[in-house]
Amino acid sequence: MNQTIYLDNNATTRPAPEVIEVMQPFLHELWGNPSSMHDFGGRVRKHVEEARAQVAQLIGADASEILFTSCGTESNNTAIRGAVEAAGDRPHVITTRVEHPAVLEPCRWLKQQGCRLTELEVDHLGRLNPEDLSRQLSTGGRAVVSVMWANNETGVVYPVPQLAEMVKLAGGIMHTDAVQAAGKLPLDVRRVPVDLMTISGHKLHAPKGIGALYIRRGTRLRPLLLGGHQENGRRGGTENVPYIIGLGRACALAAQHMRAGTARMATLRDRLQAGILASCPDTQVNGDETRRLPNTLNISFHYVEGEAILYHLSDLGICASSGSACAAGSLEPSHVIRAMGVPFTAVHGSIRFSLSRYTTEAEIDYVLEHLPGIIQKLRAMSPFARPAG
Ligand code: PLP
């Protein structure tokens, strides 16, 4: 078996060949330091600024509002910890139970430092109730709010435009982790009053190890990395030039492919979902199907272990993810699936398929050809009792 059918694009994406190509000169000839005074460095600086403009364009920002970071995790930490520290008086930190750990962990750390922390609940479809945020905002004090644009496990899209309006009306700071949304959904900070927005390169066909943070002009933020005056004094450290150039190109490509690419992904995802539901009984889709990323399908196969399914898929060269993580010998369901209250018989058998603009119909059909047999075989030897009849 030497084929790879890669349906794990919410974990990471293939760097686009066009991205790798534009990075090359910055590893070979144009390796100067963009902060240098000489022309050799200045030439590099010019390209870094072009990349900044490309990132800004994807989300309707001004180039001066883009900060380059090392990853989505750094952007989230910079946004949340930086906004809280700049606010000074231990603001009320509000987030949701279904955020990525790169948001949840800094929020929980801030709680240890004395901030009040609220983690908003979701319903069985993974949806937030905006009223819950409204209630929290009215409890008084300045709030720093972080709600993801779209969930990495279920693909559920959150009403960030509406939530951001509410936060701004209440005088708070609004951050959104748009790592999974960028490049898959149109994002426009001219229409949505978020103060801070996180992007990660490796989720949109740039390499791993590069991210960006949108910082609305006027937003007060304490830098996470103290050091030199790079990035307008907002992040110490010499810029990762080749990766910045790659991220710029990846954002330009994402904008170019947005409409046709995402429509195609949604069609293929729906084909996969319909095919699985038609051929595998006792399955359920996790998350709100009406507000979902175009590339994501999270589906539970009752009475089977997700890890066992992944193992058999992997044998066929098919890459996907499960909704539980194997820790210390026990299979812990993910915090997202748990927060949604997915029934026990389904929790352990949840699988996430996530497509990209490179996914083909033939790949989806290959999965549909083999998956029903795998599920049937695993159920026949499942330790979970399946009710008779
Ligand atoms: N936020 C979300 C929603 C993610 O899916 C991820 C990565 O899986 C991150 C943040 C972290 O991004 P990075 O891997 O670039 O640190």
Side-chain angles (χ1 to χ4, degrees), residues 6-43:
Y6 190 75
L7 298 177
D8 200 12
N9 287 279
N10 288 8
T12 197
T13 58
R14 165 191 170 182
E18 300 94 321
V19 167
I20 297 171
E21 192 186 328
V22 295
M23 290 171 65
Q24 295 301 321
F26 298 90
L27 292 161
H28 296 292
E29 308 99 47
L30 287 166
W31 43 261
N33 187 328
S35 299
S36 296
M37 293 300 286
H38 45 68
D39 185 52
F40 187 58
R43 271 160 53 207

Side-chain angles (χ1 to χ4, degrees), residues 328-343:
S330 74
L331 290 174
E332 261 299 295
S334 89
H335 68 287
V336 176
I337 299 291
R338 265 201 327 256
M340 290 163 59
V342 173

Side-chain angles (χ1 to χ4, degrees), residues 97-356:
R97 279 189 61 194
V98 293
E99 299 297 315
H100 190 274
V103 164
L104 281 175
E105 290 306 318
C107 289
R108 288 171 185 170
W109 181 81
L110 285 163
K111 183 179 177 186
Q112 287 168 9
Q113 308 309 306
C115 289
R116 182 151 65 101
L117 172 64
T118 302
E119 295 179 16
L120 301 171
E121 303 283 338
V122 295
D123 70 6
H124 66 293
L125 294 179
R127 295 173 303 194
L128 278 177
N129 181 356
E131 297 270 307
D132 291 345
L133 176 61
S134 171
R135 216 168 299 123
Q136 290 300 329
L137 289 171
S138 66
T139 60
R142 196 166 153 78
V144 172
V145 181
S146 182
V147 176
M148 64 199 331
W149 199 292
N151 187 271
N152 44 303
E153 292 192 30
T154 58
V156 171
V157 175
Y158 290 98
V160 170
Q162 181 191 356
L163 304 179
E165 296 281 356
M166 289 162 56
V167 172
K168 294 322 292 173
L169 261 175
I173 296 283
M174 179 72 188
H175 166 251
T176 184
D177 175 347
V179 162
Q180 294 294 342
K184 297 174 197 148
L185 298 176
L187 304 176
D188 190 345
V189 295
R190 288 165 301 195
R191 290 160 190 258
V192 181
V194 292
D195 300 296
L196 301 153
M197 179 190 281
T198 292
I199 292 176
S200 170
H202 74 108
K203 311 290 184 176
L204 42 73
H205 303 292
K208 291 159 228 11
I210 183 71
L213 178 65
Y214 160 74
I215 307 172
R216 187 176 292 280
R217 186 172 297 128
T219 306
R220 290 183 52 228
L221 213 61
R222 192 172 185 279
L224 194 67
L225 294 187
L226 303 173
H229 290 101
Q230 290 90 352
E231 295 294 282
N232 260 329
R234 295 182 297 194
R235 179 186 189 264
T238 303
E239 294 88 343
N240 184 357
V241 175
Y243 284 65
I244 287 174
I245 304 299
L247 178 61
R249 183 79 175 109
C251 287
L253 286 169
Q256 187 185 322
H257 289 285
M258 179 83 67
R259 199 183 285 261
T262 53
R264 215 180 127 266
M265 275 195 295
T267 306
L268 289 178
R269 187 273 314 271
D270 292 346
R271 180 186 181 90
L272 180 63
Q273 176 174 320
I276 294 175
L277 291 176
S279 59
C280 303
D282 294 322
T283 53
Q284 74 175 58
V285 173
N286 297 315
D288 183 2
E289 289 178 55
T290 64
R291 288 178 62 92
R292 195 169 44 155
L293 286 173
N295 78 320
T296 306
L297 168 61
N298 188 311
I299 190 159
S300 281
F301 300 87
H302 290 247
Y303 320 113
V304 210
E305 284 289 359
E307 269 65 23
I309 304 173
L310 287 187
Y311 180 79
H312 282 79
L313 288 175
S314 180
D315 256 2
L316 295 165
I318 301 166
C319 309
S321 276
S322 80
S324 50
C326 192
S330 74
L331 290 174
E332 261 299 295
S334 89
H335 68 287
V336 176
I337 299 291
R338 265 201 327 256
M340 290 163 59
V342 173
F344 173 80
T345 53
V347 134
H348 290 281
S350 87
I351 297 286
R352 179 189 69 189
F353 296 99
S354 49
L355 287 61
S356 80

Side-chain angles (χ1 to χ4, degrees), residues 71-82:
C71 59
T73 301
E74 186 191 323
S75 295
N76 283 342
N77 273 266
T78 304
I80 298 165
R81 293 168 61 176

